[in-house]
Each structure stands twice: as structure tokens, then as C-alpha cells.
Amino acid sequence: MADAEATKGASPKSPGSGKSSAKPGASPRDTGSSPPPGDGAEGSEPGPGELVAAEHFEDEESDTDSRFGGDAESSTASVSSSILEYRKIHGRTFHSDRYDSQYWTPNDERQSENVDITHHYMTLLLDDRLYLAPIRPDVQKVLDIGTGTGIWAIDFGDQHPSAEVIGTDLSPMMPAWVPPNVRFEIDDCTKPWTWDDNSVDFVHIRFLGGGIKDWTGLFREAYRVLKPGGWLQSGEFDPRFLCDDGTGNDQEAFKLWNKVFNESGPKMGVNFAVIDERIQDAAIVEAGFEKIEGVTYKAPVGPWPRDKKLAEAGRYVQLVMENDMEGYSTFLWNTILGWPAEEYQVFLMQVRKMVRDWRKTHNYFHARYVWGRKPE
């Protein structure tokens, strides 16, 4: 399997010797090549692909105020009153309990804003592209599994007006006004899919980590509905903080945030370490795909990298965290782990302080894309 690994970051004073990587957003055919150094401050130049903290900043404020059963139960459903009966947990709404799947983030307006911002900075990291798989330009039918607000499906539909684009999710979070070639369905992707065999050209799956118990089963459903020669692309995001230069990983907020995900995953029967353990990679092979490639990106928390594109993406990552870090942790802390409620707000305050201190604390998240083709 071809793979482009994002290189390790380094101390602001001394770039580290991480693995060679593809430039974020590089052509899938060039994922093994080394990119040119990023735009850096004066001094020692970063090595190829390194995520290096800038040494000087402009004067500005740092506060940026499953299962796959064998029964005939359909994965899709009409928008009935039962689906719209959201669960209210700790003041936030979550998808209807009509589904067996237990997804851990809310479906309210505040979280929807974060979904759209996340789409924006991930598109930045991919050099303004929506996908990396080398799909045919005349693609006809596309599935967007886990569509969220539908923003990826809408953008793809605008770029490919001749394609039929279907976005699916557990909750109707999508807008009413969409391109004429885009539609949405309420769907539980952990159940057998309702689309016909060999009927789809491209299956796009994104950000389902923490909600999938059987990744191989998920990818096998994609394999079944894809036409011979069709492509699957899976993009995942690890919600745990990472740090290469030691500025963040000794902080209590850093360790406690990661502990939330490390301990809640086993209790839910899921794994948040999809990227670290290469779960996507193993599952796409087991599902039968070929010509498999993958690339890992670093999404900095705050505009601390020297590279201008990464610094811009980092501003949006910081915005996402400050806008709704509660949405990524309240269900896990209070419902899954049952930790003391009186300590939760203190925890959020500590994490928020760390996120805002990006000049001194150089944290980032991992995102990984893997894609493969169904044999002709």
C-alpha cells in the first residue's frame, strides 16, 4: 500500500528529523515524494514536510473570542416524527434513539457550525480539493456517508453538475436549499445498505471515528454497492492532542483531554485510535480493494506553524475547539465515563486556556485519508 506519512513536528528552535512525507494535498500519485520546505521565518529552514512552529508572530490577541446484521432491516428511513425526537443530554441534542448506533457528538446548531468550519480547514489542508481518490471526471453516482450538514456533498454537487450525489446521516442536519443534483437521506450506515450492487461510482466516508464498531463490514458494504472500477475514500480525524516538541504533552489539560477518549472508547465498544492503529488501512484491504493509498495530515491547534497554509488552517482548528469543545466531550465525560459533573467546567476552562496559548503550546491533531478501487 502506498502511503505518505506526515512528518513529525519539531521544536521551534530546532526542526526535528521526522519521517519524509507528502505535502498536504499533494496528488495521490505523488504521495511518496517530499514537498519543498514551507514558508518559514528567518533562521534554520524546516526539513521537507515538517510542521515547525514559527518563532515570530504578528502582534495580535491570542484569544479567538456495529454491527452489520443479516436481517432485512433498512439502513434508510423517511423523516418521521420518531427520527426528529432528539435526545436531550446535558443541555445538548443528539440523534434519535431510534438507531442502535451511539454517536458521541451533538446534532444542534452549535455543532453544525463546527462541522462546516472543519470542512473548511480540511479543504485547506487538501489544497482546496474535496477528495484525493483519482475518480473519473464523468462520475455519475456518489454517496457521501456521514454527510453531517451536507457541506461536502453540496460542494461536490456544484463541482460535478452531471453527478447524482446522495448524502446520508443519522440526523437531518442538512439545509433545505441544495443543488438540484444533491439529495439527502436519513441513514444508519452500520446496517445493511439499501443501494443496489454495482450501482455507485464513488463512496466518500468522513469523520465516523467513535461511531463504527466494524470498519471492515462498513467498507464491504461500500465495496458491494460500488461499480467495478469505482472508488472508496475514507477520511478520519483523531480527536486526541499530539505534540512533537514537548510544549504541550506534559500539561494536565492535554493528558486529561486524551484520557477522556482513551477510556470512553472501550466503554462504548469503539476505538478512537483509528489512525494510530491503521484501522482504515487494514479494513480497506480486508474488504477487497486494490490500488490503495493513504496520507496523514497534521491539523495544528492555533496559527503557530511557520508554514502559512498550516497557520491559516490552525486558526480554524482553534476556532472549532473554542466554539464547541463541550460538544466533543460532554457526552463522553458525563454519560459514558460518569466523571464528577462539578469538575467538568474546570476541565473545559483548563483545555480552553491551553488552546489559546498557542504561542507556547504547539499541539495538533491527526487526520488521515485512505482510498482504494474496486477491481475492474
Side-chain angles (χ1 to χ4, degrees):
M1 171 177 171
D3 181 78
E5 185 66 29
T7 57
K8 296 294 184 182
S11 163
K13 299 295 184 182
S14 175
S17 56
K19 298 177 183 178
S20 177
S21 77
K23 178 181 179 181
S27 165
R29 298 304 176 192
D30 297 329
T31 51
S33 62
S34 296
D39 296 325
E42 293 182 3
S44 58
E45 290 297 324
E50 288 178 339
L51 183 63
V52 181
E55 297 177 9
H56 306 288
F57 299 96
E58 296 178 3
D59 186 17
E60 60 181 71
E61 294 295 326
S62 62
D63 290 354
T64 302
D65 286 63
S66 112
R67 298 185 306 264
F68 285 85
D71 57 23
E73 184 175 3
S74 171
S75 65
T76 57
S78 61
V79 183
S80 64
S81 59
S82 64
I83 294 173
L84 295 173
E85 290 173 357
Y86 297 151
R87 296 170 297 153
K88 193 165 186 178
I89 305 172
H90 305 291
R92 306 295 294 271
T93 60
F94 292 76
H95 70 78
S96 170
D97 58 9
R98 176 187 185 279
Y99 297 106
D100 297 331
S101 299
Q102 190 178 47
Y103 198 65
W104 49 286
T105 60
N107 60 5
D108 51 23
E109 183 176 353
R110 188 173 168 190
Q111 183 62 204
S112 294
E113 291 175 354
N114 268 17
V115 171
D116 289 350
I117 298 169
T118 299
H119 170 77
H120 176 68
Y121 73 67
M122 289 308 303
T123 305
L124 278 175
L125 291 177
L126 270 64
D127 286 339
D128 296 323
R129 287 182 295 170
L130 295 176
Y131 53 90
L132 300 174
I135 64 173
R136 293 165 53 100
D138 60 345
V139 61
Q140 293 299 304
K141 188 170 184 179
V142 176
L143 298 181
D144 181 27
I145 307 299
T147 194
T149 62
I151 189 168
W152 184 93
I154 292 170
D155 284 354
F156 188 94
D158 283 335
Q159 289 186 9
H160 300 79
S162 64
E164 176 190 9
V165 185
I166 304 169
T168 74
D169 214 311
L170 292 170
S171 299
M173 301 166 61
M174 312 85 177
W177 297 97
V178 297
N181 59 325
V182 177
R183 62 186 173 92
F184 299 109
E185 296 180 357
I186 307 306
D187 169 70
D188 184 350
C189 67
T190 66
K191 297 186 180 299
W193 295 6
T194 56
W195 297 284
D196 294 336
D197 296 358
N198 307 312
S199 62
V200 177
D201 297 294
F202 181 33
V203 175
H204 175 263
I205 299 175
R206 190 169 68 166
F207 304 157
L208 297 185
I212 302 298
K213 297 180 180 180
D214 181 6
W215 284 91
T216 301
L218 177 73
F219 290 170
R220 281 177 177 159
E221 284 296 285
Y223 186 97
R224 178 183 63 80
V225 303
L226 279 168
K227 299 174 184 176
W231 288 87
L232 163 68
Q233 177 174 297
S234 166
E236 284 304 320
F237 197 91
D238 191 325
R240 300 170 301 170
F241 288 118
L242 293 166
C243 182
D244 294 337
D245 63 6
T247 57
N249 45 18
D250 288 333
Q251 296 192 32
E252 288 303 314
F254 182 106
K255 292 187 284 189
L256 188 53
W257 177 272
N258 289 356
K259 185 178 180 180
V260 168
F261 295 95
N262 290 335
E263 295 196 8
S264 60
K267 290 181 178 291
M268 298 168 65
V270 298
N271 192 341
F272 285 102
V274 173
I275 296 174
D276 276 1
E277 299 182 15
R278 290 293 192 264
I279 293 175
Q280 298 159 278
D281 303 61
I284 199 169
V285 171
E286 292 171 2
F289 288 89
E290 64 178 16
K291 297 188 178 297
I292 300 167
E293 297 185 55
V295 60
T296 299
Y297 295 95
K298 289 183 176 182
V301 183
W304 56 264
R306 291 179 183 176
D307 182 88
K308 292 180 180 179
K309 182 184 71 176
L310 292 175
E312 182 182 1
R315 293 181 187 276
Y316 290 103
V317 177
Q318 180 188 358
L319 176 61
V320 163
M321 288 297 295
E322 291 202 50
N323 183 53
D324 196 16
M325 65 178 65
E326 180 185 28
Y328 299 110
S329 59
T330 185
F331 180 73
L332 303 180
W333 179 290
N334 293 290
T335 302
I336 300 301
L337 297 173
W339 288 354
E342 62 272 15
E343 297 178 11
Y344 181 61
Q345 292 303 320
V346 176
F347 160 71
L348 292 179
M349 180 182 66
Q350 292 172 337
V351 176
R352 186 173 292 108
K353 180 181 178 181
M354 180 180 67
V355 166
R356 290 176 175 178
D357 193 21
W358 51 263
R359 286 182 174 85
K360 298 179 181 178
T361 306
H362 306 138
N363 296 332
Y364 65 91
F365 298 108
H366 261 162
R368 181 166 177 80
Y369 287 85
V370 175
W371 58 97
R373 187 182 74 169
K374 182 175 180 177
E376 291 281 1

